[in-house]
C-alpha cells in the first residue's frame, strides 16, 4: 500500500494431492494452506502479523513442517486435521551495529474425522524465539547471531497422553563470515533442552557449518 505497509496472500496445495483426480484430492479438496501477512516497515522497526488456515488429510498431518515435537506436528495421532495458525514477528535495528527481534506463534487445531460420534477434539501448540544480531562484527558482511526460544510444542490437547509434560528449549549461536561479496561461511551450534518435551530425554548439542553462494 505504501513504502512501509504491505499485504500479501498465499495458497499452497499439497504436492501429492494437487495433481490427483480423486474426489478428496485436487487443488482445493486435498491438503492445503491459505493465508495472509500484513507487514509494517516504518524506519528501523519491522513487524508482521500472519494468519494461515490449513487442512491436512488423515495420515499426512504435519502442522509445523517437521519442526518441533511429534505431538505438535500431529496432535491427534493421524486423524485429518484443520488448523488456524497465528503469528507475529518483529525486528528493531539498534543503530547500524545491532538489532533485536523475535517471533511468537500459536496454532489452534481440530480433528476433522472421528471414527466414533464423540465431541470434536482440539489442541493448542505454541512456539516463540528472541534473537540478537550484530551485523558487520569483525568485518563488512559478517554477522554474529544469538537465538533463544521454544520450538513448537503442545500446551493443550483433548487427547489424553498427547501433550508434552515439559517445555523444550532451543539455544543457538552462529557467526557468518563474508569471504567476499558472493561467498559466506557460517559456523554455528545449537543446544536443545528437553527434546520432545520430556526432561528424561538427553539434551542435544549439534554443531553445523554452512557455505552460501550468491549469484
Amino acid at each position: 500500500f505504501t513504502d512501509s505497509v504491505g499485504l500479501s496472500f498465499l495458497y499452497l496445495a499439497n504436492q501429492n494431492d494437487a495433481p490427483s483426480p480423486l474426489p478428496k484430492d485436487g487443488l482445493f479438496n486435498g491438503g492445503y494452506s491459505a493465508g495472509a501477512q500484513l507487514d509494517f516497515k516504518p524506519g528501523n522497526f519491522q513487524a508482521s502479523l500472519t494468519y494461515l488456515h490449513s487442512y491436512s488429510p488423515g495420515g499426512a498431518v504435519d502442522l509445523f513442517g517437521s519442526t518441533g515435537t511429534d505431538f505438535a506436528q500431529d496432535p491427534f495421532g493421524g486423524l485429518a486435521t484443520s488448523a488456524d495458525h497465528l503469528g507475529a514477528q518483529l525486528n528493531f535495528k539498534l543503530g547500524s551495529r545491532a538489532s533485536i527481534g523475535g517471533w511468537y506463534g500459536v496454532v489452534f487445531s481440530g480433528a476433522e474425522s472421528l471414527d466414533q460420534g464423540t465431541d470434536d477434539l482440539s489442541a493448542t501448540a505454541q512456539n516463540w524465539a528472541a534473537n540478537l544480531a550484530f551485523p558487520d562484527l569483525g568485518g563488512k558482511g559478517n554477522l554474529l547471531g544469538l537465538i533463544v526460544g521454544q520450538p513448537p510444542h503442545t500446551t493443550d490437547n483433548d487427547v489424553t497422553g498427547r501433550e508434552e509434560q515439559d517445555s523444550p528449549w532451543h539455544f543457538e549461536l552462529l557467526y557468518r563470515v563474508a569471504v567476499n561479496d558472493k561467498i559466506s561461511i557460517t559456523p554455528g551450534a545449537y543446544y536443545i533442552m528437553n527434546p520432545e518435551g520430556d526432561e528424561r530425554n538427553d539434551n542435544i548439542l549439534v554443531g553445523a557449518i554452512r557455505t552460501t553462494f550468491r549469484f
Side-chain angles (χ1 to χ4, degrees), residues 5 11-12 18 57 73 84 102 118-119 155 165 169 182-183 187 207:
V5 180
Y11 183 89
L12 300 173
Q73 297 172 45
D84 295 305
T118 58
D119 294 336
T155 55
Q165 300 301 310
W169 285 87
K182 301 295 184 181
I183 302 174

Side-chain angles (χ1 to χ4, degrees), residues 164-185:
E164 287 79 32
Q165 300 301 310
D166 306 291
S167 297
W169 285 87
H170 176 109
F171 303 90
E172 185 170 349
L173 175 67
L174 60 89
Y175 184 64
R176 185 184 68 205
V177 179
V179 179
N180 53 44
D181 293 340
K182 301 295 184 181
I183 302 174
S184 63
I185 300 175

